């Protein structure tokens, strides 16, 4: 553990007895009560459903300032990274802690190309799924299946071995993602090509077919890189916390990432990008006004929420949403696409951010609000949106899994609970049960 307590601890007094609680301060000045020995010292535990006030680890990968709307990876702002880097450079940064120089980037790129194929036996798995299976099902199942085909990383693995496994997964997820799409539309798989870059390859595997070539437009490749970058990591979000949780049991990398993919799928997390488009389509189809939709979202008796709005950490505009909105305008403009869903989204945003309900609760568009409209213009079907999120988030998940392995203070994740069930009951034999 690198954090040291500040001089003066906090004091907790319970029934006249005092306990000193060390205060830790992180690199950005955020402070935390170190309650690791609270139960041992006092018999008390902390109650924090959803972990809104709980830090579960030290991390040096990503920093989010939710009040100011700032996001940085290894100290570099998301704006700089999106503007100046390719996705694989950002992946390298997350995994290795530094931006690659030319030689390192070339080597990484070659490794990614070399490992882009999946074992041919795995290709047959895709056939077992019914027509129309959601690609997130296929993605999660295929990732955990990789552990049957490729060796696990030993705890003692050296850096080269680690790099190999990690690169293999990064490269293969892109192939699996594209294959899962081809399977869902009943088209033959398009194999990766060593002549293409990471994002070029992905677009080509998605959209070319044996009967028609796909023209790889540089502006679409740039947008693909940028969209993956804004998803690359976001500290202890639900799916990353899941990867860490599973990793804390020493389950293998593939198992941990597959669990992360499943956690991402939920509509309150990465599945929101699909839910946003479905919501915008519903509003457009039914001719609903922004006012009607917002009233519905504000009505506590109605389970409807404004999808793509709100965030646990951001209490101001999500910086990724700003970038996503800019990419959306650029791509629709370059492709000469007039999407009525963009008009619906803009109107909703305008009305929502001027509405006291959303203002009081600090609800702004999050990363998922504008990405789907861009994906739609690029030709991705709705069911693929969360797969694209997973592809972007993969380097972040792996970086956290690696960090967890190297952190001597990490223990198995095992929260406590407050029990509210029956206290004691007399056993009733089966024949006497009502
Ligand atoms: N629409 C309407 N009301 C909302 C919304 C929304 N999108 N989001 C939050 N609220 C309200 C809640 O009803 C609550 O109101 P209350 O104080 O009157 O009870 C208040 O704002 C706080 O919301 P919580 O649910 O307590 O906030 P939490 O941090 O637990 O949830 C979440 C964050 C899940 C993202 C939430 O804002 C939400 O459901 N958003 C819509 C789904 C979405 O877009 N998810 C993607 C998030 S980004 C990502 O994961 C990649």
């Amino acid at each position: 553990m690198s954090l040291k307590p500040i001089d003066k601890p906090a004091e907790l007094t319970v029934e006249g007895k005092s306990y000193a609680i060390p205060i830790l301060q992180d690199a950005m000045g955020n402070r935390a009560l170190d309650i690791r020995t609270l139960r041992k010292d006092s018999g008390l535990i902390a109650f924090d459903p959803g972990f809104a006030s709980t830090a579960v680890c030290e991390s040096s990968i990503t920093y989010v300032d939710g009040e100011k709307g700032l996001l940085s990876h290894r100290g570099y702002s998301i704006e700089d990274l999106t503007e100046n880097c390719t996705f694989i450079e950002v992946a390298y940064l997350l995994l290795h802690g530094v931006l690659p120089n030319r030689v390192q980037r070339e080597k990484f790129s070659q490794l990614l190309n070399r490992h882009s194929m999946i074992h041919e036996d795995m290709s047959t798995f895709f056939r077992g799924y019914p027509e129309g299976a959601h690609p997130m099902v296929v993605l999660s199942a295929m990732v955990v299946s990789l552990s049957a085909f490729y060796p696990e990383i030993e705890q003692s693995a050296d850096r080269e071995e680690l790099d190999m496994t990690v690169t293999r997964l990064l490269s293969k997820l892109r192939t699996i993602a594209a294959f899962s799409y081809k399977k869902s539309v009943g088209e033959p798989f398009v194999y990766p090509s060593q002549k293409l870059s990471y994002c070029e390859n992905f677009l080509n595997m998605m959209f070319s077919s044996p009967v028609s070539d796909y023209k790889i437009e540089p502006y679409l490749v740039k947008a693909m890189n940028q969209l993956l970058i804004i998803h690359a990591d976001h500290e202890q979000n639900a799916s990353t916390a899941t990867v860490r949780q599973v990793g804390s049991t020493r389950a293998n990398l593939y198992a941990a990432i597959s669990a992360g993919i499943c956690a991402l799928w939920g509509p309150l997390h990465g599945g929101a990008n699909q839910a946003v488009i479905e919501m915008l389509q519903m509003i457009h189809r039914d001719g609903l006004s922004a006012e009607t939709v917002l009233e519905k979202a504000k009505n506590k008796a109605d389970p409807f929420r404004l999808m793509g709005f709100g965030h646990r950490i951001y209490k101001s505009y999500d910086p990724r949403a700003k970038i996503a909105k800019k990419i959306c305008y650029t791509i629709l403009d370059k492709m000469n696409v007039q999407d009525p869903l963009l008009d619906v989204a803009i109107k909703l945003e305008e009305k929502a951010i001027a509405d006291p309900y959303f203002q009081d609760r600090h609800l702004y568009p999050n990363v998922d609000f504008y990405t789907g409209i861009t994906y739609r213009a690029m030709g991705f079907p709705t069911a693929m949106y969360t797969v694209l999120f997973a592809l972007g988030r993969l380097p972040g998940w792996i970086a956290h899994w690696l960090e967890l392995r190297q952190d001597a203070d990490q223990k198995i994740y095992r929260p406590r609970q407050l029990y509210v069930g029956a206290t004691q009951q007399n056993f009733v034999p089966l024949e006497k049960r009502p």
Side-chain angles (χ1 to χ4, degrees):
M1 170 122 164
S2 66
L3 291 174
K4 298 274 168 280
I6 62 170
D7 288 347
K8 201 167 157 28
E11 200 175 284
L12 171 73
T13 306
V14 183
E15 292 164 350
K17 203 160 172 220
S18 287
Y19 306 93
I21 307 207
I23 297 178
L24 304 172
Q25 182 162 309
D26 76 6
M28 298 297 195
N30 298 296
R31 291 175 168 199
L33 299 173
D34 179 355
I35 58 163
R36 284 177 294 170
T37 62
L38 180 68
R39 185 165 185 280
K40 192 157 76 76
D41 298 342
S42 69
L44 294 162
I45 58 173
F47 180 58
D48 184 20
F51 310 120
S53 300
T54 300
V56 291
C57 60
E58 284 185 357
S59 181
S60 58
I61 303 168
T62 289
Y63 181 70
V64 181
D65 183 328
E67 272 68 39
K68 295 193 184 125
L70 302 176
L71 166 63
S72 57
H73 301 310
R74 310 277 190 195
Y76 298 100
S77 79
I78 189 66
E79 290 79 12
D80 274 352
L81 294 174
T82 318
E83 207 40 58
N84 302 304
C85 289
T86 60
F87 173 60
I88 70 156
E89 285 176 283
V90 174
Y92 190 100
L93 172 71
L94 293 172
L95 297 168
H96 296 269
V98 290
L99 282 168
N101 60 28
R102 264 177 213 287
V103 175
Q104 289 162 330
R105 192 180 66 171
E106 191 50 32
K107 196 173 158 215
F108 191 46
S109 184
Q110 280 169 5
L111 265 181
L112 285 166
N113 264 334
R114 199 175 313 143
H115 295 289
S116 56
M117 295 279 281
I118 54 172
H119 196 290
E120 200 52 31
D121 286 352
M122 277 188 74
S123 306
T124 62
F125 292 0
F126 289 86
R127 297 202 191 102
Y129 290 93
E131 234 11 83
H134 197 289
M136 285 296 276
V137 177
V138 183
L139 194 75
S140 55
M142 288 296 157
V143 168
V144 77
S145 303
L146 284 171
S147 56
F149 289 87
Y150 301 97
E152 292 173 19
I153 322 178
E154 299 294 335
Q155 197 61 34
S156 57
D158 60 25
R159 189 70 217 193
E160 210 159 304
E161 222 178 311
L162 271 175
D163 286 351
M164 189 62 75
T165 305
V166 161
T167 316
R168 198 184 269 141
L169 180 53
L170 269 175
S171 188
K172 292 186 192 321
L173 193 78
R174 169 189 55 168
T175 310
I176 293 170
F179 280 19
S180 69
Y181 165 64
K182 288 295 188 191
K183 157 72 198 168
S184 73
V185 289
E187 283 185 16
F189 300 143
V190 176
Y191 284 85
S193 158
Q194 301 219 350
K195 292 188 206 119
L196 300 176
S197 70
Y198 190 92
C199 286
E200 287 172 342
N201 239 322
F202 179 59
L203 290 171
N204 191 56
M205 282 192 278
M206 282 288 305
F207 299 121
S208 70
S209 82
V211 291
S212 69
D213 287 341
Y214 172 72
K215 186 163 185 292
I216 305 172
E217 294 283 4
Y219 72 88
L220 290 178
V221 175
K222 182 172 181 200
M224 196 69 244
N225 271 294
Q226 293 182 317
L227 286 162
L228 294 180
I229 290 171
I230 58 172
H231 291 93
D233 190 43
H234 211 241
E235 48 118 305
Q236 306 304 317
N237 58 87
S239 54
T240 303
T242 302
V243 169
R244 279 186 174 259
Q245 168 113 14
V246 176
S248 80
T249 70
R250 305 261 165 93
N252 69 59
L253 174 67
Y254 307 109
I257 300 296
S258 176
I261 291 171
C262 292
L264 183 76
W265 194 2
L268 296 188
H269 189 18
N273 57 12
Q274 174 172 343
V276 167
I277 285 293
E278 288 165 351
M279 175 187 78
L280 297 176
Q281 282 169 329
M282 181 269 289
I283 297 170
H284 182 59
R285 187 192 57 228
D286 297 350
L288 302 178
S289 68
E291 287 80 1
T292 309
V293 178
L294 296 188
E295 282 316 310
K296 205 170 149 51
K298 293 190 289 188
N299 180 359
K300 297 291 176 196
D302 189 329
F304 175 80
R305 281 189 165 199
L306 193 57
M307 300 312 287
F309 256 73
H311 196 274
R312 170 62 63 78
I313 307 289
Y314 290 120
K315 299 303 161 206
S316 59
Y317 212 104
D318 181 338
R320 303 167 302 169
K322 273 189 203 153
I323 299 169
K325 190 173 177 182
K326 207 166 137 196
I327 299 171
C328 183
Y329 278 122
T330 308
I331 291 303
L332 265 60
D333 184 44
K334 286 222 182 240
M335 297 185 83
N336 206 11
V337 168
Q338 259 101 46
D339 189 342
L341 298 192
L342 179 59
D343 303 330
V344 175
I346 290 168
K347 191 105 214 132
L348 269 181
E349 181 190 338
E350 262 172 31
K351 296 279 175 197
I353 58 178
D355 186 304
Y357 173 97
F358 289 85
Q359 287 174 346
D360 293 349
R361 291 166 181 75
H362 309 287
L363 303 172
Y364 295 89
N366 59 48
V367 66
D368 295 316
F369 197 63
Y370 284 103
T371 48
I373 302 172
T374 311
Y375 295 146
R376 212 165 109 94
M378 290 170 82
F380 289 104
T382 316
M384 277 298 286
Y385 297 177
T386 313
V387 171
L388 297 173
F389 194 142
L391 198 55
R393 183 56 53 91
L394 183 64
W397 286 332
I398 302 176
H400 281 274
W401 186 85
L402 290 171
E403 192 177 65
L404 176 97
R405 273 169 58 97
Q406 284 149 11
D407 184 346
D409 285 308
Q410 277 299 306
K411 291 175 175 285
I412 187 167
Y413 278 32
R414 202 323 187 168
R416 287 186 173 265
Q417 63 165 24
L418 295 176
Y419 178 70
V420 294
T423 47
Q424 201 181 0
Q425 303 207 65
N426 292 327
F427 182 75
V428 184
L430 183 61
E431 51 289 3
K432 293 202 175 149
R433 288 176 213 160

